[in-house]
Protein backbone atom coordinates (compact mmCIF):
# COMPACT_ATOMS: atom_id res chain seq x y z
CA UNK A 1 0.00 0.00 0.00
CA UNK A 2 1.35 3.42 -0.99
CA UNK A 3 1.05 6.35 1.40
CA UNK A 4 -0.30 9.51 -0.24
CA UNK A 5 -0.01 12.95 1.38
CA UNK A 6 -2.55 15.47 0.07
CA UNK A 7 -1.99 19.12 0.97
CA UNK A 8 -4.85 21.27 2.29
CA UNK A 9 -4.68 24.96 3.10
CA UNK A 10 -6.96 27.75 4.27
CA UNK A 11 -9.34 28.97 1.59
CA UNK A 12 -8.86 26.13 -0.86
CA UNK A 13 -11.54 24.69 -3.13
CA UNK A 14 -13.11 21.58 -1.62
CA UNK A 15 -13.48 20.11 -5.11
CA UNK A 16 -9.75 20.21 -5.75
CA UNK A 17 -9.10 18.61 -2.37
CA UNK A 18 -11.68 15.91 -3.00
CA UNK A 19 -10.31 14.73 -6.37
CA UNK A 20 -7.27 12.77 -5.11
CA UNK A 21 -9.26 11.63 -2.08
CA UNK A 22 -12.01 10.29 -4.35
CA UNK A 23 -9.75 8.57 -6.88
CA UNK A 24 -7.09 7.23 -4.51
CA UNK A 25 -8.85 7.19 -1.15
CA UNK A 26 -11.98 5.28 -2.14
CA UNK A 27 -11.11 1.88 -0.71
CA UNK A 28 -13.90 0.17 -2.64
CA UNK A 29 -12.76 1.56 -5.99
CA UNK A 30 -8.99 1.42 -5.49
CA UNK A 31 -9.19 -1.79 -3.44
CA UNK A 32 -7.19 -0.32 -0.55
CA UNK A 33 -4.10 0.28 -2.67
CA UNK A 34 -3.49 3.73 -1.16
CA UNK A 35 -3.43 5.17 2.35
CA UNK A 36 -4.51 8.78 1.73
CA UNK A 37 -3.67 11.32 4.43
CA UNK A 38 -4.77 14.96 4.16
CA UNK A 39 -2.21 17.25 5.75
CA UNK A 40 -1.75 20.97 6.38
CA UNK A 41 1.01 23.26 7.48
CA UNK A 42 -1.10 24.13 10.50
CA UNK A 43 -3.43 21.20 11.28
CA UNK A 44 -6.83 21.84 12.78
CA UNK A 45 -9.86 23.70 11.51
CA UNK A 46 -9.45 25.09 7.99
CA UNK A 47 -11.91 27.12 5.98
CA UNK A 48 -12.75 26.43 2.33
CA UNK A 49 -13.88 28.84 -0.35
CA UNK A 50 -17.28 27.16 -0.38
CA UNK A 51 -18.49 28.52 2.95
CA UNK A 52 -17.79 25.55 5.18
CA UNK A 53 -14.81 24.30 7.13
CA UNK A 54 -12.85 21.06 7.33
CA UNK A 55 -10.74 19.52 10.06
CA UNK A 56 -7.25 18.31 9.15
CA UNK A 57 -5.44 16.16 11.70
CA UNK A 58 -2.04 15.63 10.04
CA UNK A 59 0.83 18.06 9.67
CA UNK A 60 3.45 18.27 6.95
CA UNK A 61 5.46 15.53 8.62
CA UNK A 62 3.43 12.97 6.64
CA UNK A 63 5.22 14.21 3.51
CA UNK A 64 8.44 12.85 4.98
CA UNK A 65 7.17 9.29 4.68
CA UNK A 66 4.73 9.53 1.77
CA UNK A 67 5.28 7.66 -1.50
CA UNK A 68 3.20 10.26 -3.32
CA UNK A 69 2.79 13.95 -2.43
CA UNK A 70 -0.18 15.66 -4.06
CA UNK A 71 -0.55 19.44 -4.26
CA UNK A 72 -4.17 19.76 -5.41
CA UNK A 73 -4.25 23.54 -5.87
CA UNK A 74 -2.82 26.80 -4.56
CA UNK A 75 -3.50 30.52 -4.35
CA UNK A 76 -1.17 32.19 -6.91
CA UNK A 77 -1.33 35.42 -4.89
CA UNK A 78 -0.05 33.66 -1.78
CA UNK A 79 3.66 33.13 -1.13
CA UNK A 80 4.31 29.59 0.11
CA UNK A 81 6.29 29.35 3.32
CA UNK A 82 9.85 28.08 3.46
CA UNK A 83 8.62 25.23 5.67
CA UNK A 84 6.15 24.02 3.02
CA UNK A 85 8.63 24.32 0.16
CA UNK A 86 11.28 22.46 2.16
CA UNK A 87 8.81 19.64 2.82
CA UNK A 88 8.12 19.30 -0.91
CA UNK A 89 11.82 19.34 -1.76
CA UNK A 90 12.69 16.74 0.87
CA UNK A 91 9.94 14.40 -0.30
CA UNK A 92 11.06 14.71 -3.89
CA UNK A 93 14.74 14.27 -3.02
CA UNK A 94 14.14 10.97 -1.24
CA UNK A 95 12.16 9.59 -4.21
CA UNK A 96 8.51 10.46 -3.60
CA UNK A 97 6.40 11.21 -6.66
CA UNK A 98 5.17 14.81 -6.56
CA UNK A 99 1.85 15.60 -8.23
CA UNK A 100 0.76 19.18 -8.91
CA UNK A 101 -2.89 19.38 -9.91
CA UNK A 102 -4.25 22.49 -11.62
CA UNK A 103 -2.63 25.60 -10.10
CA UNK A 104 -0.86 23.41 -7.60
CA UNK A 105 1.76 23.79 -10.34
CA UNK A 106 2.64 27.12 -8.69
CA UNK A 107 3.87 25.21 -5.63
CA UNK A 108 5.77 22.77 -7.83
CA UNK A 109 7.50 25.68 -9.58
CA UNK A 110 8.20 27.55 -6.33
CA UNK A 111 9.89 24.49 -4.82
CA UNK A 112 12.44 24.39 -7.65
CA UNK A 113 11.97 20.70 -8.44
CA UNK A 114 10.76 21.54 -11.95
CA UNK A 115 13.62 23.88 -12.92
CA UNK A 116 14.66 23.27 -16.51
CA UNK A 117 11.69 21.00 -17.11
CA UNK A 118 8.14 21.11 -18.51
CA UNK A 119 5.03 21.31 -16.35
CA UNK A 120 1.33 21.67 -17.08
CA UNK A 121 -1.25 23.94 -15.53
CA UNK A 122 -4.69 25.38 -16.27
CA UNK A 123 -4.55 27.38 -19.50
CA UNK A 124 -5.92 30.47 -17.74
CA UNK A 125 -2.88 30.62 -15.42
CA UNK A 126 -0.19 29.40 -17.80
CA UNK A 127 1.15 32.81 -18.86
CA UNK A 128 1.34 34.05 -15.29
CA UNK A 129 3.17 30.92 -14.16
CA UNK A 130 5.61 31.19 -17.05
CA UNK A 131 6.36 34.85 -16.33
CA UNK A 132 6.96 34.16 -12.64
CA UNK A 133 9.19 31.14 -13.22
CA UNK A 134 11.07 31.59 -16.51
CA UNK A 135 13.36 28.67 -15.67
CA UNK A 136 10.60 26.16 -16.44
CA UNK A 137 8.54 25.52 -19.57
CA UNK A 138 4.79 25.79 -18.97
CA UNK A 139 2.41 23.87 -21.20
CA UNK A 140 -1.27 24.66 -21.60
CA UNK A 141 -1.97 22.36 -24.56
CA UNK A 142 -2.27 18.99 -22.78
CA UNK A 143 -4.45 17.62 -20.00
CA UNK A 144 -1.60 16.21 -17.92
CA UNK A 145 2.10 15.40 -18.03
CA UNK A 146 4.09 12.55 -16.46
CA UNK A 147 7.85 13.04 -16.03
CA UNK A 148 8.16 9.97 -13.81
CA UNK A 149 8.99 11.69 -10.56
CA UNK A 150 6.72 14.67 -11.27
CA UNK A 151 3.15 14.77 -12.58
CA UNK A 152 1.20 17.95 -13.34
CA UNK A 153 -2.23 18.54 -14.79
CA UNK A 154 -4.61 21.11 -16.17
CA UNK A 155 -7.60 22.24 -14.13
CA UNK A 156 -10.60 20.63 -12.52
CA UNK A 157 -11.65 17.59 -14.56
CA UNK A 158 -8.09 17.09 -15.83
CA UNK A 159 -7.09 16.48 -12.21
CA UNK A 160 -9.29 13.38 -12.35
CA UNK A 161 -7.51 12.31 -15.55
CA UNK A 162 -4.13 12.74 -13.89
CA UNK A 163 -5.07 10.78 -10.76
CA UNK A 164 -6.54 7.98 -12.87
CA UNK A 165 -3.29 7.92 -14.83
CA UNK A 166 -1.43 7.50 -11.54
CA UNK A 167 -3.59 4.47 -10.72
CA UNK A 168 -3.04 3.12 -14.23
CA UNK A 169 0.74 3.50 -13.82
CA UNK A 170 0.82 1.83 -10.40
CA UNK A 171 -1.77 -0.91 -10.87
CA UNK A 172 -2.58 -1.29 -14.57
CA UNK A 173 -5.38 -0.47 -16.97
CA UNK A 174 -7.97 -2.82 -15.49
CA UNK A 175 -8.12 -1.21 -12.05
CA UNK A 176 -7.99 2.31 -13.49
CA UNK A 177 -10.88 1.64 -15.87
CA UNK A 178 -12.95 -0.03 -13.16
CA UNK A 179 -12.36 2.93 -10.88
CA UNK A 180 -13.22 5.38 -13.67
CA UNK A 181 -16.48 3.59 -14.29
CA UNK A 182 -17.35 3.65 -10.59
CA UNK A 183 -17.03 7.45 -10.48
CA UNK A 184 -18.63 7.80 -13.93
CA UNK A 185 -15.79 9.43 -15.83
CA UNK A 186 -13.92 8.45 -18.98
CA UNK A 187 -10.98 6.13 -18.22
CA UNK A 188 -8.84 7.98 -20.75
CA UNK A 189 -9.78 11.25 -22.43
CA UNK A 190 -8.25 12.16 -25.75
CA UNK A 191 -7.75 15.77 -26.76
CA UNK A 192 -6.10 18.76 -25.18
CA UNK A 193 -6.80 21.93 -23.23
CA UNK A 194 -6.97 23.79 -26.53
CA UNK A 195 -10.49 22.46 -26.93
CA UNK A 196 -11.58 24.44 -23.87
CA UNK A 197 -9.85 27.76 -24.47
CA UNK A 198 -12.49 30.33 -25.45
CA UNK A 199 -12.38 31.45 -29.06
CA UNK A 200 -14.22 34.38 -30.67
CA UNK A 201 -17.71 33.45 -31.78
CA UNK A 202 -18.61 34.91 -35.20
CA UNK A 203 -21.76 37.06 -35.40
CA UNK A 204 -23.33 34.43 -37.65
CA UNK A 205 -22.34 30.79 -36.99
CA UNK A 206 -22.63 30.26 -40.72
CA UNK A 207 -19.63 32.55 -41.12
CA UNK A 208 -17.41 30.19 -39.13
CA UNK A 209 -15.66 28.50 -42.02
CA UNK A 210 -13.77 26.07 -39.80
CA UNK A 211 -16.97 24.94 -38.10
CA UNK A 212 -18.44 24.28 -41.53
CA UNK A 213 -15.30 22.33 -42.41
CA UNK A 214 -15.69 20.24 -39.25
CA UNK A 215 -19.31 19.42 -40.09
CA UNK A 216 -18.29 18.48 -43.63
CA UNK A 217 -15.55 16.15 -42.35
CA UNK A 218 -17.70 14.53 -39.66
CA UNK A 219 -20.21 13.51 -42.34
CA UNK A 220 -17.39 11.75 -44.25
CA UNK A 221 -15.32 10.07 -41.55
CA UNK A 222 -15.58 6.74 -43.35
CA UNK A 223 -13.94 8.20 -46.46
CA UNK A 224 -10.29 9.09 -47.19
CA UNK A 225 -10.00 12.87 -46.77
CA UNK A 226 -7.04 14.74 -48.18
CA UNK A 227 -6.16 18.14 -46.79
CA UNK A 228 -6.58 19.72 -50.22
CA UNK A 229 -10.06 18.24 -50.62
CA UNK A 230 -11.04 19.34 -47.11
CA UNK A 231 -9.83 22.89 -47.66
CA UNK A 232 -11.48 23.03 -51.06
CA UNK A 233 -14.83 22.05 -49.56
CA UNK A 234 -14.92 25.43 -47.79
CA UNK A 235 -13.21 27.34 -50.61
CA UNK A 236 -9.87 27.88 -48.83
CA UNK A 237 -6.34 27.22 -49.96
CA UNK A 238 -4.54 24.42 -48.12
CA UNK A 239 -2.19 26.89 -46.43
CA UNK A 240 -4.99 29.22 -45.27
CA UNK A 241 -7.12 26.31 -44.10
CA UNK A 242 -4.25 24.82 -42.08
CA UNK A 243 -3.49 28.15 -40.41
CA UNK A 244 -7.13 28.95 -39.60
CA UNK A 245 -7.86 25.43 -38.36
CA UNK A 246 -4.99 25.54 -35.87
CA UNK A 247 -5.99 29.03 -34.73
CA UNK A 248 -9.59 27.88 -34.26
CA UNK A 249 -8.91 24.55 -32.51
CA UNK A 250 -5.32 24.58 -31.30
CA UNK A 251 -4.76 21.40 -33.28
CA UNK A 252 -3.78 20.33 -36.77
CA UNK A 253 -6.54 19.12 -39.05
CA UNK A 254 -5.15 15.60 -39.19
CA UNK A 255 -4.87 15.34 -35.39
CA UNK A 256 -8.46 16.55 -35.02
CA UNK A 257 -9.64 14.10 -37.68
CA UNK A 258 -7.92 11.22 -35.89
CA UNK A 259 -9.70 12.08 -32.63
CA UNK A 260 -13.05 12.22 -34.43
CA UNK A 261 -12.46 8.82 -35.96
CA UNK A 262 -11.44 7.38 -32.62
CA UNK A 263 -14.60 8.75 -31.05
CA UNK A 264 -16.69 7.26 -33.88
CA UNK A 265 -15.00 3.89 -33.42
CA UNK A 266 -15.52 3.98 -29.65
CA UNK A 267 -19.22 4.74 -30.11
CA UNK A 268 -19.66 1.90 -32.59
CA UNK A 269 -17.83 -0.52 -30.31
CA UNK A 270 -20.06 0.45 -27.40
CA UNK A 271 -23.41 0.46 -29.22
CA UNK A 272 -23.16 -2.19 -31.97
CA UNK A 273 -21.98 -5.77 -32.37
CA UNK A 274 -20.28 -5.04 -35.68
CA UNK A 275 -16.93 -6.81 -36.15
CA UNK A 276 -13.82 -4.73 -35.57
CA UNK A 277 -12.92 -4.81 -39.28
CA UNK A 278 -16.24 -3.18 -40.21
CA UNK A 279 -15.91 -0.59 -37.45
CA UNK A 280 -12.42 0.25 -38.71
CA UNK A 281 -13.87 0.84 -42.18
CA UNK A 282 -16.90 2.81 -40.95
CA UNK A 283 -14.73 5.10 -38.84
CA UNK A 284 -12.18 5.75 -41.58
CA UNK A 285 -9.20 3.72 -40.35
CA UNK A 286 -9.31 1.38 -43.31
CA UNK A 287 -8.12 -1.72 -41.48
CA UNK A 288 -8.46 -3.33 -38.08
CA UNK A 289 -4.66 -3.17 -37.71
CA UNK A 290 -4.70 0.62 -38.07
CA UNK A 291 -7.59 0.89 -35.60
CA UNK A 292 -5.79 -1.28 -33.04
CA UNK A 293 -2.60 0.74 -33.46
CA UNK A 294 -4.30 4.05 -32.71
CA UNK A 295 -6.33 2.58 -29.83
CA UNK A 296 -3.14 1.31 -28.24
CA UNK A 297 -1.13 4.48 -28.89
CA UNK A 298 -3.73 7.03 -27.79
CA UNK A 299 -6.13 5.18 -25.48
CA UNK A 300 -3.78 2.58 -24.03
CA UNK A 301 -6.15 -0.30 -24.71
CA UNK A 302 -7.54 -2.43 -27.55
CA UNK A 303 -10.86 -2.15 -29.41
CA UNK A 304 -11.97 -5.51 -28.07
CA UNK A 305 -11.12 -4.60 -24.51
CA UNK A 306 -12.92 -1.29 -24.86
CA UNK A 307 -16.02 -3.12 -26.09
CA UNK A 308 -15.88 -5.51 -23.15
CA UNK A 309 -15.66 -2.65 -20.67
CA UNK A 310 -18.14 -0.23 -22.21
CA UNK A 311 -20.63 -2.10 -24.39
CA UNK A 312 -24.18 -0.96 -23.65
Amino acid sequence: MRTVAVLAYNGMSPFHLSVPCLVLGDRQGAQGQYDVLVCAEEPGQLRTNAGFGITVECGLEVMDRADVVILPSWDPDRDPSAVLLDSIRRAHARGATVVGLCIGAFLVAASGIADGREIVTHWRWADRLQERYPGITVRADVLWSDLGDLLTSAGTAASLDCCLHLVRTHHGVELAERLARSIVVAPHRSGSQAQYIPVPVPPDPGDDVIERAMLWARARLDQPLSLDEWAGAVALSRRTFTRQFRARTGSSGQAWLLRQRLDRARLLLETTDHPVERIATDSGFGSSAALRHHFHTILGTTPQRHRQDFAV
Side-chain angles (χ1 to χ4, degrees):
M1 181 181 290
R2 288 176 171 85
T3 299
V4 180
V6 181
L7 178 70
Y9 60 91
N10 263 319
M12 80 176 302
S13 158
F15 176 86
H16 289 94
L17 179 61
S18 70
V19 167
C21 297
L22 172 66
V23 177
L24 307 178
D26 184 338
R27 291 185 178 274
Q28 181 178 359
Q31 295 184 331
Q33 301 293 341
Y34 299 95
D35 181 20
V36 178
L37 301 171
V38 177
C39 64
E41 189 169 350
E42 297 181 3
Q45 193 74 16
L46 302 181
R47 67 182 186 279
T48 70
N49 66 3
F52 59 85
I54 58 173
T55 301
V56 177
E57 298 179 356
C58 299
L60 295 182
E61 67 275 0
V62 299
M63 290 189 182
D64 291 330
R65 58 185 176 87
D67 302 292
V68 180
V69 171
I70 299 184
L71 314 170
S73 184
W74 189 247
D75 179 356
D77 294 322
R78 177 178 179 177
D79 291 328
S81 71
V83 172
L84 174 56
L85 295 180
D86 283 344
S87 295
I88 297 170
R89 294 186 193 108
R90 284 200 310 272
H92 181 260
R94 64 173 177 76
T97 300
V98 176
V99 183
L101 302 177
C102 194
I103 52 178
F106 278 81
L107 277 179
V108 170
S111 72
I113 65 174
D115 288 354
R117 311 173 79 186
E118 286 187 349
I119 64 173
V120 177
T121 194
H122 191 294
W123 59 265
R124 191 184 299 278
W125 296 95
D127 288 344
R128 183 171 175 181
L129 182 61
Q130 185 67 81
E131 290 171 4
R132 186 177 297 181
Y133 301 101
I136 60 176
T137 299
V138 180
R139 298 191 61 181
D141 61 331
V142 294
L143 297 178
W144 49 263
S145 169
D146 183 354
L147 301 180
D149 59 318
L150 175 62
L151 282 71
T152 49
S153 81
T156 318
S159 299
L160 286 165
D161 296 315
C162 188
C163 288
L164 284 169
H165 169 72
L166 197 64
V167 175
R168 190 182 303 114
T169 300
H170 289 159
H171 302 293
V173 172
E174 184 176 356
L175 178 58
E177 291 191 354
R178 187 162 65 246
L179 179 56
R181 183 174 288 279
S182 73
I183 58 178
V184 199
V185 297
H188 191 295
R189 284 197 298 163
S190 60
S192 73
Q193 286 194 76
Q195 300 171 91
Y196 306 100
I197 299 174
V199 296
V201 178
D204 179 356
D207 291 340
D208 188 342
V209 66
I210 300 303
E211 184 63 32
R212 286 191 281 114
M214 290 176 175
L215 292 173
W216 185 89
R218 285 192 189 102
R220 296 165 176 79
L221 290 178
D222 60 334
Q223 305 171 24
L225 297 177
S226 71
L227 198 55
D228 289 328
E229 181 185 14
W230 197 2
V234 288
L236 293 177
S237 69
R238 175 176 177 152
R239 182 176 180 180
T240 300
F241 175 78
T242 300
R243 175 175 52 80
Q244 291 191 15
F245 196 96
R246 184 172 290 279
R248 173 70 168 79
T249 67
S251 169
S252 71
Q254 292 304 319
W256 179 88
L257 196 59
L258 174 59
R259 290 198 299 271
Q260 300 303 307
R261 285 178 165 149
L262 273 174
D263 288 344
R264 168 74 63 83
R266 291 167 68 180
L267 178 63
L268 292 173
L269 286 165
E270 294 168 13
T271 60
T272 75
D273 58 0
H274 298 331
V276 171
E277 190 68 44
R278 175 176 171 181
I279 289 175
T281 300
D282 290 348
S283 55
F285 286 101
S287 70
S288 58
L291 176 62
R292 291 188 181 97
H293 168 74
H294 289 296
F295 252 75
H296 175 73
T297 301
I298 298 176
L299 303 180
T301 188
T302 66
Q304 194 61 41
R305 180 58 182 274
H306 183 85
R307 169 172 274 167
Q308 292 171 357
D309 290 340
F310 294 99
V312 176

